[in-house]
Amino acid sequence: MADNRRWWALVVIALAQLMVVLDMTIVNIALPSAQAALHMSDGNRQWVITSYTLAFGGLLLLGGRIADLAGRRNTFTIGLLGFAAASALGGAAANSGMLFGARALQGVFAALLAPSALSLLTTTFTDPKDRGKAFGIFGAIIGAGAAVGLLAGGFLTQYLDWRWCLYVNVPIALIAFFGALALLAPGERHPDARLDVPGALLGSAGMLSLVYGFSEAESRSWSDGLVLALLAAGVVLLGLFGLWQTRARVPLLPMSVVKDRQRVGAFLTVLLVTIGMFGVFLFLTYYMQGVLGYSPVKTGVAYLPITVGMVTGSTQVAARLLNRVPPRVLMVPGLLIAAGALAIIAQVGTEPAYASHILPAMLMLGLGMGTAMMTSVSLATGGVAPRDSGAASATFNTAQQVGGSIGTALLNTIAASVTARYLTAHAGPGVNRRQLQATALVHGFNVATWWAMGALLLGALIAGVVVNADRAPTPQAAQERTPEPVDSAT
C-alpha cells in the first residue's frame, strides 16, 4: 500500500474506532432526556447502557475469531453497516424496549467492528517508525473517545435532541464504510482459523454472565443471590473455556496469545486502568452537573483538557519513544502520573474546585493515560502471528470492556454505600439537608476515587514487574517466528 494510502486508511480505521468508543459515553449525558421521553423507570434506565456493554463485552472474542475467518475488511464493513442500522433504530425508538434492543444490536456489531479495526491497524503498519505514529494516533482515539463522547453528547442533547446522540453514528459509519472499500486491502482469510463453536459458547456465556453480574450489582447489592450466582457462573464458564482452549484443535483464543508475558502484562494493565477510569468519568460528570450545576454543554467542554492531554501523551510522548525505550519506561510513569491526578480529584469538596483541582488533574490524567494506553495497545497486538491478530485484538478490547463494567459497578457501589453511611451519621435536627446531601455525595465520590487510584497503582506495579521487553514487538517479528501454515487446498 502506498504511503499516503496507508495514512488515509488510518483515518478510516480511527474514525470507526472513535465511533465505538464514543458511543460508550455519548449516551450518558442524553440518558435523563431519553428517560423522560420514553417514560423509563429509575430501575430500568440502566439498560440503555447495560444492553450495549453486555453484547459488546460478551461477544468480542467471537467477533475477533470471525474477523480471522471471514477476512478483516469484510467484518469491518459489515460491522459499520450494522452499527449504522442499529443506531438509526435506536434514534427512532418509540418505547424503552425498542431502545434497549437497538443498543444491544449496537453492541453486537461493535463486537465485530472493534477487533477488526485493531487487526487492520496492526497489519497495515508494519514499519516500526510508522507503526509508532499510527499507534500514537490510535491510542489517543481510544483514550480521548470517552471525553469526546461527553462533549458531543452535551451539544447534541442541549441544542438538538437526545435522539441525535444515536443518529450521529449513521453518517460517521457510512463515511467509514465507503472509505474502507476504497482504501483498505481486502485482507487475508485464514482457513486454519475455523470457528470454535464450543469455545465461542463457553467464552461468550462466561463474559455475558460476568458483565451482567457486575452491572446488576449496581442496582441490587453485592450480596444479592442473583449477582452472586451470575458472578460464580461467569467464573466457572470462563474456567471451562480456558480448559477447552487447551484441548481444542483450532482454539478460539490461541494459547500463544495469552502465554506471552508482554501481552499478559498489557491485558492486565488495561483491565485495571479501565476499572479505575470508567467510574471516575461518571463521578466527574455527576460532580460538575449535580454539585457545580454545569449544563450538559459546559460539562462536555470541561472535559476538553483530558483530550488535550491524551493526544499529547499518545502522539508526542509514547509514539516518539516507543521504539527507543523499554515499554515499561513509558507505562509505569504514565500510570503514576494518572494516579496522582486521581489523588487530586479525590480531594474536591462542594465548593467550586475546577480551576484549582479538576483542570490540572485532567491535564495530568490525559497525559499519563495517553502515554500508558498507547504503549499497551502496541504491546497487546504486536508480535502476534497474522492469523491470530483478530483474537489478540479482541482480547485487548475485552479487557477494556470488562474493566469498564467492573469499574462502573464496583466504584458506584462503593460511592453509594459511603454516601448512605455519611447521611445516616450526620443527619439530625437543624441540619441543612440540601447541603448535607451534596457533601455526602462528594464524600462518596472521593472515597471511590481513592479506590480508583489504587487500581491504577496496581496497574503500574504489574506493568513494572511483568512487562520486561527491551522494545515493543512488531508484526514482522511475529511473522518471522511463526510462518503461516500452508492451505492444503492450494
Side-chain angles (χ1 to χ4, degrees):
M1 185 181 291
D3 192 60
N4 287 341
R5 191 179 177 88
R6 283 190 298 123
W7 291 108
W8 279 111
L10 174 61
V11 172
V12 171
I13 296 168
L15 189 64
Q17 184 68 17
L18 174 63
M19 182 180 67
V20 171
V21 175
L22 179 147
D23 211 68
M24 294 179 189
T25 55
I26 193 172
V27 176
N28 285 354
I29 288 182
L31 187 54
S33 299
Q35 180 183 1
L38 300 181
H39 309 291
M40 298 179 213
S41 67
D42 288 345
N44 286 336
R45 66 185 178 187
Q46 65 158 328
W47 286 103
V48 176
I49 307 298
T50 305
S51 56
Y52 180 80
T53 59
L54 276 174
F56 192 12
L59 298 174
L60 268 166
L61 284 175
L62 181 59
R65 186 48 85 195
I66 290 174
D68 289 335
L69 181 65
R72 293 171 194 114
R73 192 182 74 170
N74 291 338
T75 52
F76 185 75
T77 51
I78 290 170
L80 284 168
L81 289 180
F83 201 90
S87 298
L89 181 66
N95 53 59
S96 58
M98 187 174 173
L99 180 59
F100 299 157
R103 290 285 287 164
L105 275 177
Q106 280 185 305
V108 170
F109 287 107
L112 274 181
L113 185 58
S116 300
L118 197 49
S119 296
L120 285 166
L121 182 69
T122 303
T123 54
T124 299
F125 292 90
T126 55
D127 177 76
K129 184 177 180 181
D130 287 347
R131 190 168 183 266
K133 294 178 183 177
F135 271 84
I137 295 170
F138 196 78
I141 294 289
I142 291 176
V148 172
L150 293 166
L151 177 62
F155 274 95
L156 292 171
T157 301
Q158 189 163 324
Y159 293 117
L160 291 175
D161 184 80
W162 67 268
R163 296 179 183 275
W164 278 97
C165 290
L166 292 161
Y167 285 143
V168 71
N169 291 323
V170 177
I172 296 175
L174 291 178
I175 291 170
F177 172 77
F178 289 112
L181 293 181
L183 295 166
L184 296 179
E188 186 179 357
R189 298 184 184 187
H190 297 284
D192 60 315
R194 302 185 189 281
L195 199 59
D196 173 20
V197 176
L201 292 174
L202 288 170
S204 297
M207 291 306 309
L208 285 168
S209 185
L210 269 186
V211 174
Y212 186 25
F214 282 115
S215 299
E216 284 295 291
E218 183 179 356
S219 58
R220 296 171 180 266
S221 72
W222 290 102
S223 60
D224 182 81
L226 176 62
V227 171
L228 293 175
L230 286 168
L231 296 178
V235 171
V236 171
L237 287 168
L238 289 178
L240 292 173
F241 168 77
L243 180 63
W244 173 255
Q245 294 307 285
T246 63
R247 301 182 177 185
R249 187 170 67 88
V250 184
L252 184 69
L253 178 60
M255 288 297 102
S256 60
V257 171
V258 292
K259 282 184 176 179
D260 182 84
R261 176 173 180 158
Q262 314 310 320
R263 277 194 293 278
V264 168
F267 293 149
L268 291 176
T269 300
V270 167
L271 177 73
L272 288 164
V273 165
T274 50
I275 283 176
M277 293 311 304
F278 268 63
V280 170
F281 274 124
L282 193 62
F283 298 155
L284 284 174
T285 300
Y286 275 107
Y287 172 75
M288 288 187 281
Q289 290 194 32
V291 178
L292 302 185
Y294 286 10
S295 68
V297 169
K298 189 174 182 179
T299 301
V301 172
Y303 273 106
L304 285 178
I306 286 185
T307 306
V308 173
M310 286 280 189
V311 172
T312 303
S314 294
T315 63
Q316 301 304 311
V317 179
R320 293 176 181 272
L321 297 177
L322 185 62
N323 296 310
R324 300 179 182 179
V325 300
R328 63 181 172 187
V329 172
L330 296 172
M331 295 170 72
V332 174
L335 292 175
L336 291 178
I337 291 172
L342 295 190
I344 296 174
I345 292 173
Q347 299 179 60
V348 300
T350 56
E351 296 298 317
Y354 184 81
S356 61
H357 289 71
I358 305 301
L359 176 59
M362 280 187 174
L363 288 169
M364 289 173 59
L365 192 60
L367 182 65
M369 293 300 299
T371 302
M373 286 296 287
M374 181 270 183
T375 309
S376 297
V377 172
S378 185
L379 269 183
T381 58
V384 183
R387 66 180 180 276
D388 293 329
S389 64
S393 303
T395 307
F396 175 83
N397 279 284
T398 299
Q400 272 193 298
Q401 191 62 27
V402 173
S405 299
I406 294 172
T408 301
L410 175 62
L411 297 178
N412 274 346
T413 300
I414 292 171
S417 59
V418 170
T419 296
R421 288 199 299 268
Y422 190 95
L423 285 171
T424 301
H426 294 83
V431 175
N432 184 323
R433 182 150 186 86
R434 185 174 181 180
Q435 179 61 35
L436 176 62
Q437 183 70 36
T439 303
L441 189 68
V442 171
H443 179 61
F445 292 166
N446 289 346
V447 172
T449 302
W450 285 115
W451 280 91
M453 186 192 77
L456 263 63
L457 289 176
L458 182 56
L461 178 63
I462 288 175
V465 173
V466 177
V467 178
N468 63 354
D470 291 332
R471 296 291 184 273
T474 65
Q476 291 167 313
Q479 200 157 9
E480 290 169 4
R481 289 197 310 267
T482 312
E484 289 292 300
V486 178
D487 185 0
S488 58
T490 304

